[in-house]
Amino acid sequence: MRERGAMNRVTFAARLPRAVGDMLVAPDATRGETVTAYATAVAGATLVAVIGSRAGHAWPVVAFLALVGFDLFGGTVVNATASAKRRFHRPGRTARHHFLFVAGHVHPFLLALLVPGFGWGAAVAVYGLVVTGALGVLATPAALRRPVAFAVAALASTVSVTLLAVPVEVAWFAPVLSGKLLLGHILPE
């Protein structure tokens, strides 16, 4: 009986990295997709942590920013991979699924809660730009969806870095969020 339990733990341990990869990247992701996604996630997390640290934030804020950076930078790459496109745009997936994925990214409100200087007004504006942009892209005919997504992402990014009062250490946030969701996730190609 002990041998069977030990074998189950070994099997679980052997399968765990693949299960995590399937969840964070996509099922059947290629080695290149996986390496590129994780390398970008780690680079983004590191860059954001350095920026947050240099801005004088306490370590919990720096750790939170690193986590958000890992998710957004890595997710931008993941959402552009063929394996993620197969996952998120498989038969049966609708505009509603894509919208809910975008709407579930409540990161701006977490930033407002945890990052000094990133206010609730900025959070509402960034979230509104991305969610409204997603609705616009999803309502666009398929032939125009790609250029409309790029237009919306460019406009949302410009508004967020020029018209919103956000600390310079999180100025990267809205453009990367827009890229991940509006250019990466929603576009099927």
Side-chain angles (χ1 to χ4, degrees):
M1 192 62 123
R2 287 186 189 193
E3 288 178 23
R4 186 175 184 161
M7 189 165 73
N8 285 340
R9 283 191 301 275
V10 170
T11 303
F12 175 77
R15 290 184 182 167
L16 185 61
R18 182 62 178 183
V20 170
D22 286 354
M23 185 179 66
L24 294 181
V25 181
D28 301 320
T30 67
R31 182 169 176 78
E33 289 173 334
T34 302
V35 168
T36 304
Y38 282 122
T40 305
V42 169
T46 302
L47 177 62
V48 168
V50 168
I51 293 168
S53 180
R54 291 181 80 186
H57 290 297
W59 75 264
V61 172
V62 172
F64 169 72
L65 289 172
L67 182 63
V68 171
F70 185 91
D71 175 39
L72 295 187
F73 283 88
T76 299
V77 172
V78 165
N79 287 344
T81 65
S83 59
K85 296 300 183 184
R86 286 190 302 272
R87 174 193 209 175
F88 291 121
H89 294 276
R90 67 186 181 269
R93 302 296 287 186
T94 66
R96 182 176 184 272
H97 292 106
H98 299 299
F99 176 75
L100 291 175
F101 183 84
V102 171
H105 281 74
V106 295
H107 300 55
F109 303 111
L110 297 175
L111 258 66
L113 187 63
L114 299 170
V115 178
F118 192 92
W120 292 101
V124 168
V126 170
Y127 187 79
L129 286 166
V130 172
V131 168
T132 303
L135 285 172
V137 173
L138 291 168
T140 300
L144 290 175
R145 197 164 288 154
R146 185 176 179 84
V148 168
F150 274 83
V152 170
L155 292 168
S157 294
T158 301
V159 166
S160 69
V161 298
T162 60
L163 299 179
L164 299 180
V166 299
V168 70
E169 65 270 19
V170 290
W172 58 270
F173 172 73
V176 178
L177 182 69
S178 295
K180 174 185 177 177
L181 299 175
L182 301 176
L183 303 180
H185 178 73
I186 287 183
L187 296 178
E189 66 278 345

PDB file of all heavy atoms in Angstrom, residues 152-169:
ATOM      1  N   VAL A 152      -8.187  50.788 -30.808  1.00  0.00           N
ATOM      2  CA  VAL A 152      -8.670  50.933 -29.431  1.00  0.00           C
ATOM      3  C   VAL A 152      -7.507  50.816 -28.439  1.00  0.00           C
ATOM      4  O   VAL A 152      -7.405  51.604 -27.489  1.00  0.00           O
ATOM      5  CB  VAL A 152      -9.772  49.894 -29.132  1.00  0.00           C
ATOM      6  CG1 VAL A 152     -10.112  49.857 -27.655  1.00  0.00           C
ATOM      7  CG2 VAL A 152     -11.012  50.198 -29.953  1.00  0.00           C
ATOM      8  N   ALA A 153      -6.620  49.847 -28.646  1.00  0.00           N
ATOM      9  CA  ALA A 153      -5.477  49.678 -27.738  1.00  0.00           C
ATOM     10  C   ALA A 153      -4.565  50.903 -27.771  1.00  0.00           C
ATOM     11  O   ALA A 153      -4.081  51.359 -26.724  1.00  0.00           O
ATOM     12  CB  ALA A 153      -4.701  48.415 -28.092  1.00  0.00           C
ATOM     13  N   ALA A 154      -4.324  51.445 -28.960  1.00  0.00           N
ATOM     14  CA  ALA A 154      -3.474  52.633 -29.073  1.00  0.00           C
ATOM     15  C   ALA A 154      -4.109  53.830 -28.378  1.00  0.00           C
ATOM     16  O   ALA A 154      -3.436  54.571 -27.647  1.00  0.00           O
ATOM     17  CB  ALA A 154      -3.210  52.946 -30.541  1.00  0.00           C
ATOM     18  N   LEU A 155      -5.401  54.021 -28.594  1.00  0.00           N
ATOM     19  CA  LEU A 155      -6.095  55.149 -27.955  1.00  0.00           C
ATOM     20  C   LEU A 155      -6.154  54.985 -26.439  1.00  0.00           C
ATOM     21  O   LEU A 155      -5.891  55.941 -25.690  1.00  0.00           O
ATOM     22  CB  LEU A 155      -7.497  55.302 -28.548  1.00  0.00           C
ATOM     23  CG  LEU A 155      -7.539  55.748 -30.014  1.00  0.00           C
ATOM     24  CD1 LEU A 155      -8.938  55.575 -30.594  1.00  0.00           C
ATOM     25  CD2 LEU A 155      -7.058  57.185 -30.151  1.00  0.00           C
ATOM     26  N   ALA A 156      -6.503  53.788 -25.975  1.00  0.00           N
ATOM     27  CA  ALA A 156      -6.582  53.542 -24.530  1.00  0.00           C
ATOM     28  C   ALA A 156      -5.222  53.729 -23.870  1.00  0.00           C
ATOM     29  O   ALA A 156      -5.125  54.316 -22.781  1.00  0.00           O
ATOM     30  CB  ALA A 156      -7.121  52.134 -24.264  1.00  0.00           C
ATOM     31  N   SER A 157      -4.175  53.254 -24.517  1.00  0.00           N
ATOM     32  CA  SER A 157      -2.825  53.417 -23.960  1.00  0.00           C
ATOM     33  C   SER A 157      -2.438  54.878 -23.889  1.00  0.00           C
ATOM     34  O   SER A 157      -1.865  55.336 -22.892  1.00  0.00           O
ATOM     35  CB  SER A 157      -1.810  52.643 -24.819  1.00  0.00           C
ATOM     36  OG  SER A 157      -2.056  51.259 -24.734  1.00  0.00           O
ATOM     37  N   THR A 158      -2.741  55.625 -24.939  1.00  0.00           N
ATOM     38  CA  THR A 158      -2.390  57.042 -24.958  1.00  0.00           C
ATOM     39  C   THR A 158      -3.145  57.818 -23.885  1.00  0.00           C
ATOM     40  O   THR A 158      -2.553  58.625 -23.159  1.00  0.00           O
ATOM     41  CB  THR A 158      -2.666  57.640 -26.349  1.00  0.00           C
ATOM     42  OG1 THR A 158      -1.894  56.909 -27.313  1.00  0.00           O
ATOM     43  CG2 THR A 158      -2.288  59.109 -26.408  1.00  0.00           C
ATOM     44  N   VAL A 159      -4.432  57.556 -23.766  1.00  0.00           N
ATOM     45  CA  VAL A 159      -5.217  58.222 -22.721  1.00  0.00           C
ATOM     46  C   VAL A 159      -4.633  57.903 -21.348  1.00  0.00           C
ATOM     47  O   VAL A 159      -4.456  58.786 -20.513  1.00  0.00           O
ATOM     48  CB  VAL A 159      -6.706  57.799 -22.795  1.00  0.00           C
ATOM     49  CG1 VAL A 159      -7.457  58.207 -21.532  1.00  0.00           C
ATOM     50  CG2 VAL A 159      -7.366  58.407 -24.023  1.00  0.00           C
ATOM     51  N   SER A 160      -4.309  56.647 -21.132  1.00  0.00           N
ATOM     52  CA  SER A 160      -3.856  56.241 -19.794  1.00  0.00           C
ATOM     53  C   SER A 160      -2.508  56.827 -19.413  1.00  0.00           C
ATOM     54  O   SER A 160      -2.272  57.074 -18.231  1.00  0.00           O
ATOM     55  CB  SER A 160      -3.829  54.715 -19.686  1.00  0.00           C
ATOM     56  OG  SER A 160      -2.816  54.187 -20.499  1.00  0.00           O
ATOM     57  N   VAL A 161      -1.622  57.051 -20.376  1.00  0.00           N
ATOM     58  CA  VAL A 161      -0.299  57.578 -20.008  1.00  0.00           C
ATOM     59  C   VAL A 161      -0.204  59.094 -20.124  1.00  0.00           C
ATOM     60  O   VAL A 161       0.783  59.674 -19.689  1.00  0.00           O
ATOM     61  CB  VAL A 161       0.849  56.919 -20.822  1.00  0.00           C
ATOM     62  CG1 VAL A 161       0.910  55.428 -20.556  1.00  0.00           C
ATOM     63  CG2 VAL A 161       0.745  57.212 -22.295  1.00  0.00           C
ATOM     64  N   THR A 162      -1.231  59.734 -20.704  1.00  0.00           N
ATOM     65  CA  THR A 162      -1.155  61.188 -20.848  1.00  0.00           C
ATOM     66  C   THR A 162      -2.216  61.949 -20.067  1.00  0.00           C
ATOM     67  O   THR A 162      -1.955  63.041 -19.576  1.00  0.00           O
ATOM     68  CB  THR A 162      -1.259  61.603 -22.326  1.00  0.00           C
ATOM     69  OG1 THR A 162      -2.508  61.149 -22.861  1.00  0.00           O
ATOM     70  CG2 THR A 162      -0.102  61.035 -23.141  1.00  0.00           C
ATOM     71  N   LEU A 163      -3.419  61.391 -19.971  1.00  0.00           N
ATOM     72  CA  LEU A 163      -4.511  62.137 -19.349  1.00  0.00           C
ATOM     73  C   LEU A 163      -4.851  61.693 -17.931  1.00  0.00           C
ATOM     74  O   LEU A 163      -5.522  62.420 -17.210  1.00  0.00           O
ATOM     75  CB  LEU A 163      -5.772  62.045 -20.225  1.00  0.00           C
ATOM     76  CG  LEU A 163      -5.634  62.623 -21.640  1.00  0.00           C
ATOM     77  CD1 LEU A 163      -6.936  62.447 -22.411  1.00  0.00           C
ATOM     78  CD2 LEU A 163      -5.225  64.085 -21.600  1.00  0.00           C
ATOM     79  N   LEU A 164      -4.411  60.507 -17.555  1.00  0.00           N
ATOM     80  CA  LEU A 164      -4.704  60.008 -16.213  1.00  0.00           C
ATOM     81  C   LEU A 164      -3.536  60.309 -15.284  1.00  0.00           C
ATOM     82  O   LEU A 164      -2.377  60.212 -15.675  1.00  0.00           O
ATOM     83  CB  LEU A 164      -4.964  58.500 -16.241  1.00  0.00           C
ATOM     84  CG  LEU A 164      -6.140  58.036 -17.089  1.00  0.00           C
ATOM     85  CD1 LEU A 164      -6.273  56.523 -17.009  1.00  0.00           C
ATOM     86  CD2 LEU A 164      -7.434  58.721 -16.668  1.00  0.00           C
ATOM     87  N   ALA A 165      -3.870  60.629 -14.058  1.00  0.00           N
ATOM     88  CA  ALA A 165      -2.842  60.890 -13.054  1.00  0.00           C
ATOM     89  C   ALA A 165      -2.453  59.558 -12.409  1.00  0.00           C
ATOM     90  O   ALA A 165      -3.131  59.076 -11.500  1.00  0.00           O
ATOM     91  CB  ALA A 165      -3.362  61.864 -12.007  1.00  0.00           C
ATOM     92  N   VAL A 166      -1.393  58.958 -12.935  1.00  0.00           N
ATOM     93  CA  VAL A 166      -0.883  57.714 -12.356  1.00  0.00           C
ATOM     94  C   VAL A 166       0.600  57.891 -12.061  1.00  0.00           C
ATOM     95  O   VAL A 166       1.293  58.608 -12.776  1.00  0.00           O
ATOM     96  CB  VAL A 166      -1.104  56.492 -13.292  1.00  0.00           C
ATOM     97  CG1 VAL A 166      -2.577  56.261 -13.557  1.00  0.00           C
ATOM     98  CG2 VAL A 166      -0.346  56.639 -14.583  1.00  0.00           C
ATOM     99  N   PRO A 167       1.077  57.258 -11.008  1.00  0.00           N
ATOM    100  CA  PRO A 167       2.503  57.348 -10.708  1.00  0.00           C
ATOM    101  C   PRO A 167       3.331  56.782 -11.862  1.00  0.00           C
ATOM    102  O   PRO A 167       2.934  55.807 -12.508  1.00  0.00           O
ATOM    103  CB  PRO A 167       2.665  56.483  -9.455  1.00  0.00           C
ATOM    104  CG  PRO A 167       1.302  56.347  -8.882  1.00  0.00           C
ATOM    105  CD  PRO A 167       0.350  56.447 -10.037  1.00  0.00           C
ATOM    106  N   VAL A 168       4.467  57.375 -12.102  1.00  0.00           N
ATOM    107  CA  VAL A 168       5.313  56.964 -13.225  1.00  0.00           C
ATOM    108  C   VAL A 168       5.703  55.490 -13.128  1.00  0.00           C
ATOM    109  O   VAL A 168       5.844  54.809 -14.144  1.00  0.00           O
ATOM    110  CB  VAL A 168       6.557  57.888 -13.349  1.00  0.00           C
ATOM    111  CG1 VAL A 168       7.522  57.662 -12.190  1.00  0.00           C
ATOM    112  CG2 VAL A 168       7.240  57.685 -14.685  1.00  0.00           C
ATOM    113  N   GLU A 169       5.823  54.964 -11.907  1.00  0.00           N
ATOM    114  CA  GLU A 169       6.247  53.569 -11.754  1.00  0.00           C
ATOM    115  C   GLU A 169       5.177  52.558 -12.179  1.00  0.00           C
ATOM    116  O   GLU A 169       5.458  51.373 -12.308  1.00  0.00           O
ATOM    117  CB  GLU A 169       6.723  53.274 -10.331  1.00  0.00           C
ATOM    118  CG  GLU A 169       5.675  53.389  -9.259  1.00  0.00           C
ATOM    119  CD  GLU A 169       5.555  54.780  -8.652  1.00  0.00           C
ATOM    120  OE1 GLU A 169       6.016  55.764  -9.263  1.00  0.00           O
ATOM    121  OE2 GLU A 169       4.998  54.881  -7.549  1.00  0.00           O
TER     122      GLU A 169
END
